[in-house]
Amino acid sequence: AEVIIVRDPIEAGSVAASIFMQQIIANPATVLGLATGSTPLTTYSALAKEVREHSIDVSRVGGFALDEYLGVPPEHPESYRSVIAREVVEPLGLTPEQVFTPRGTGPDIARAGAEYEAMITDAGGIDIQILGIGSNGHVGFNEPGSSLASITRIKALAEQTRRDNARFFGSLEEVPTHCITQGLGTILRARQLVLLAFGSSKAKAVAAALEGPVSSAVPGSVIQQHPRATVIIDEDAAARLA
Ligand code: F6R
């Protein structure tokens, strides 16, 4: 992967947004892979600003979220459907129908993963996927131990991940225990990856993902197997790189 070390999340957002802009200008029907959490926020706001300022036509852009909480209805404010609506769909001027999230509720939930895979395939695959990384090395919600070939499926959230995400819910007990997430195999099929990480809490995971062995113990290490990956990190997140 190409590694770019930046000053802060604002600079990272403008670097990442320019990569996304190039892609959307080259292909106005680009299919975006969308992460939630704190990491992509500066990218989404920088991208929204560029789209506005350059009057970019996004009417044919598509999007697929990485993951959703299991059992959280789409209208819940912390469902990833709601988060993506607030942070991506509205600022970029997309319609909700242009962006998909895995369903976390509804009948025959065990089939939701395969349904989502089929939707991604029908859309022609994901052109460019934005990724954060968990402090335990997860990407999407592929926690340590996830198969490198995995596809979208239901997974248990690691305790660390539930604690890390408790800030979005009233208390740790309210954080869902399970999710539905794109697999590592799904992520590897995206034609381009952009992984971002900020702060010292990510330094260990970043070093293991970029310089350790490719292993399901560190799901983020799949980035080493991708032919077109860019990693944008601040100095704190880069601190443990050799
Ligand atoms: C989000 C996701 C996760 C986050 C990761 C980092 O859709 O799949 O892998 O990217 O947990 O979260 P933040 O960015 O909040 O530190």
Side-chain angles (χ1 to χ4, degrees):
E2 182 196 3
V3 180
I4 303 173
I5 299 178
V6 294
R7 255 187 335 268
D8 54 28
I10 298 288
E11 188 183 354
S14 72
V15 172
S18 71
I19 297 173
F20 275 75
M21 275 290 283
Q22 279 171 29
Q23 169 62 37
I24 295 171
I25 289 167
N27 174 12
T30 288
V31 178
L32 307 173
L34 302 166
T36 49
S38 303
T39 304
L41 294 178
T42 55
T43 301
Y44 294 147
S45 54
L47 184 60
K49 190 158 173 271
E50 296 252 351
V51 163
R52 260 196 326 272
E53 282 175 2
H54 300 279
S55 305
I56 303 298
D57 175 14
V58 292
S59 62
R60 291 164 62 210
V61 167
F64 286 89
L66 273 175
D67 37 28
E68 181 57 282
Y69 291 115
L70 199 72
V72 175
E75 58 278 8
H76 187 290
E78 291 306 329
S79 77
Y80 281 171
R81 179 93 203 141
S82 296
V83 171
I84 293 280
R86 281 197 301 272
E87 286 160 5
V88 182
V89 171
E90 286 159 26
L92 259 60
L94 304 175
T95 63
E97 294 73 31
Q98 283 171 273
V99 175
F100 299 93
T101 40
R103 70 179 169 92
T105 55
D108 215 358
I109 195 68
R111 286 202 40 76
E115 283 167 17
Y116 200 62
E117 289 286 327
M119 288 159 70
I120 294 173
T121 304
D122 288 349
I126 291 168
D127 290 302
I128 181 167
Q129 173 69 56
I130 186 166
L131 295 169
I133 186 166
S135 58
N136 66 358
H138 74 216
V139 286
F141 279 141
N142 297 282
E143 300 289 13
S146 297
S147 159
L148 302 182
S150 49
I151 61 169
T152 308
R153 70 221 181 285
I154 292 170
K155 288 286 286 178
L157 292 172
E159 266 318 296
Q160 177 70 53
T161 303
R162 294 188 66 239
R163 279 197 299 275
D164 287 348
N165 286 4
R167 67 189 192 280
F168 297 113
F169 292 86
S171 65
L172 182 57
E173 292 70 59
E174 287 170 73
V175 183
T177 56
H178 289 73
C179 64
I180 174 163
T181 182
Q182 284 188 31
L184 296 174
T186 320
I187 291 169
L188 280 175
R189 278 199 306 278
R191 287 181 272 273
Q192 186 174 359
L193 300 180
V194 179
L195 183 139
L196 296 96
F198 312 126
S200 53
S201 67
K202 302 291 176 75
K204 216 172 137 220
V206 164
L210 297 185
E211 294 177 347
V214 176
S215 155
S216 65
V218 182
S221 65
V222 294
I223 192 115
Q224 296 179 41
Q225 292 191 321
H226 198 285
R228 195 169 175 214
T230 308
V231 176
I232 307 171
I233 50 181
D234 67 4
E235 283 181 13
D236 288 341
R240 287 188 181 224
L241 292 175

